[in-house]
Amino acid sequence: MVTLEAIRQKYNLPSDEEILDGLDRGHTLPAELYFAPEVHELEEEKIFSRSWLYACHESVLAKPGDYTVTQAGNTPIIITRGKDGELRGFVNVCRHRLHSLAEGSGNKPLLQCPYHGWTYGLDGQLRSAPRSDREPGFDCSTISLAAVSVEQWDQWVFVNPDPHAEPLHSVTEEIRSRTDQLNADLKDYRFEVRYEYTMDCNWKIWAENAVECYHCPTLHRTSFGKTYEVGPSDYNLDSGDHTIWHDGPIKWLPNGVDPAGLKGFRFAFTFPSSFFALDDYVGFIGTIVPLGYERSFAYVDMYSKPGSDPAVVKEWLEMWDQTLIEDQQATEVQQVGYRSRRVPTGRLMLDSESPLQAFMKRAYASLAS
């Protein structure tokens, strides 16, 4: 099993105390933590195997028999709505020869492995296995799918590969006073499209890009920076132990709209890599998933406010796609810089990038735990 100490010795990293002191003084994490394969392996164990990640909207699992599949780090997960109405989550792997049980979303009374036909109830219990009557002592009641944790955060379904995970509500309690209203507003929005992006960069680089807006006036000057006020006097940031919050006013307004009546842009991020946001026209929720030590994937579900001008919604959605593509391009260029190892750490602008410091401390604390 890989350890942080073994990684430190292989890559000649500073001590925990030196890294944490550097973070306090505004330095970034060491570059090696963004490209070393061993770090990716340790993050799968220390972070993604025990963290809450966004999976889907509640409507995907509205009826008994509904199911959907998702991914939490390298753990494939299937979520079901049982006949009793309960949400349950399992590792999406048959207990026979570890083939996946399902893909996508749908509705089934039972889950049957397409490889050999082992069949499970929506509660994960094995119901039948072909030729099991020829196996002495084979007992279906002793076999079930491996459980994971599932919870709802308002209308959103989250998963955690750890079946004994700390409750999602306790992890996100520090930000609920803000997200309660955000989600209440977003609950009435209508699903439009899922955007997907595959990036040739470490997942942390994409997550760090998402939690700061210091780059918005330059990288996003014709997209996000055109739509919202992103100057330091207008754009607000706040960080907690597990969560990060942004908000700012809209400046790119449709004709005839009074900005005084708008709530503006609101954004919430929960460690390690889920995020949701809302303005007066569109909203979204998504997750970043590592695919490897220098490759990651993000999916973003986009929603629109009913009654909004379709032309405005179209323009807003196109703006967000442009913004996220710009982020993808920037983070891939960053990955080249990290991989070069020519600059051991970066230097943060803490007045504008305080969420980055909070994120990096949280990530390193997880690795060192």
Side-chain angles (χ1 to χ4, degrees):
M1 180 183 297
V2 67
T3 65
L4 183 57
E5 186 56 37
I7 294 170
R8 191 190 324 278
Q9 292 179 11
K10 178 174 180 178
Y11 293 97
N12 195 29
L13 297 181
S15 67
D16 287 347
E17 293 75 14
E18 290 171 312
I19 290 174
L20 293 173
D21 179 64
L23 290 173
D24 285 337
R25 290 185 288 111
H27 294 293
T28 66
L29 292 171
E32 290 81 359
L33 298 187
Y34 294 84
F35 69 81
E38 298 89 350
V39 173
H40 169 67
E41 183 179 344
L42 191 61
E43 287 172 342
E44 288 287 358
E45 175 197 349
K46 297 282 191 175
I47 297 176
F48 285 93
S49 70
R50 59 186 71 174
S51 294
W52 289 100
L53 296 174
Y54 164 68
C56 66
H57 188 272
E58 63 181 356
S59 60
V60 178
L61 295 159
K63 305 185 300 295
D66 284 348
Y67 71 90
T68 192
V69 302
T70 189
Q71 192 85 8
N74 60 11
T75 303
I77 290 172
I78 183 167
I79 311 168
T80 66
R81 176 75 73 179
K83 295 178 181 178
D84 57 1
E86 290 295 314
L87 280 180
R88 296 179 177 88
F90 309 99
V91 179
N92 185 24
V93 168
C94 179
R95 297 304 298 268
H96 173 220
R97 297 265 298 283
L98 281 64
H99 193 283
S100 62
L101 292 167
E103 297 179 355
S105 302
N107 187 282
K108 297 179 179 180
L110 297 166
L111 302 174
Q112 185 175 70
C113 178
Y115 194 17
H116 294 95
W118 282 35
T119 302
Y120 302 82
L122 299 174
D123 59 358
Q125 180 63 53
L126 181 65
R127 299 293 177 81
S128 65
R131 308 182 194 178
S132 60
D133 58 332
R134 301 169 63 91
E135 299 293 320
F138 189 95
D139 183 359
C140 287
S141 68
T142 65
I143 300 173
S144 60
L145 299 176
V148 303
S149 296
V150 179
E151 278 194 42
Q152 279 196 229
W153 182 350
D154 297 328
Q155 63 267 40
W156 314 115
V157 179
F158 276 65
V159 294
N160 188 320
D162 181 358
H164 308 294
E166 181 180 6
L168 175 62
H169 190 278
S170 64
V171 174
T172 58
E173 184 176 9
E174 63 194 6
I175 205 171
R176 294 270 177 156
S177 61
R178 287 165 160 165
T179 59
D180 283 352
Q181 185 57 56
L182 185 158
N183 281 338
D185 292 344
L186 190 50
K187 191 172 184 66
D188 295 328
Y189 280 38
R190 179 180 60 242
F191 177 75
E192 291 283 348
V193 64
R194 169 170 281 197
Y195 291 147
E196 297 182 348
Y197 309 90
T198 301
M199 291 79 65
D200 289 323
C201 71
N202 184 271
W203 72 274
K204 294 191 296 299
I205 296 179
W206 217 89
E208 289 168 6
N209 173 84
V211 301
E212 58 92 359
C213 208
Y214 183 45
H215 69 280
C216 294
T218 47
L219 184 65
H220 301 318
R221 60 185 176 275
T222 64
S223 54
F224 188 95
K226 173 185 174 183
T227 309
Y228 308 106
E229 297 286 358
V230 294
S233 299
D234 301 302
Y235 198 86
N236 301 309
L237 304 167
D238 193 18
S239 304
D241 290 337
H242 305 282
T243 58
I244 290 167
W245 176 264
H246 295 194
D247 64 72
I250 295 175
K251 70 176 179 181
W252 180 23
L253 297 172
N255 291 335
V257 173
D258 180 5
L262 300 179
K263 293 185 177 180
F265 177 68
R266 293 165 282 166
F267 172 92
F269 177 93
T270 180
F271 187 84
S273 61
S274 294
F275 49 88
F276 50 108
L278 178 71
D279 66 28
D280 298 80
Y281 302 99
V282 301
F284 61 82
I285 182 164
T287 288
I288 307 159
V289 180
L291 298 179
Y293 52 95
E294 291 187 304
R295 194 167 174 80
S296 53
F297 173 74
Y299 54 91
V300 185
D301 291 336
M302 305 296 302
Y303 294 79
S304 68
K305 185 176 183 179
S308 298
D309 183 341
V312 173
V313 170
K314 180 176 183 293
E315 200 165 14
W316 244 248
L317 292 175
E318 290 174 350
M319 176 277 294
W320 271 111
D321 190 31
Q322 178 185 341
T323 297
L324 293 166
I325 290 172
E326 290 165 350
D327 287 335
Q328 175 184 354
Q329 293 167 343
T331 54
E332 290 181 341
V333 173
Q334 282 181 276
Q335 185 67 46
V336 176
Y338 278 100
R339 193 189 312 121
S340 73
R341 300 182 73 184
R342 302 299 296 178
V343 179
T345 62
R347 174 63 167 84
L348 299 178
M349 303 290 281
L350 290 180
D351 181 67
S352 298
E353 298 179 302
S354 56
L356 278 180
Q357 184 187 53
F359 173 87
M360 292 176 184
K361 285 184 174 182
R362 179 70 175 80
Y364 194 74
S366 298
L367 295 181
S369 65

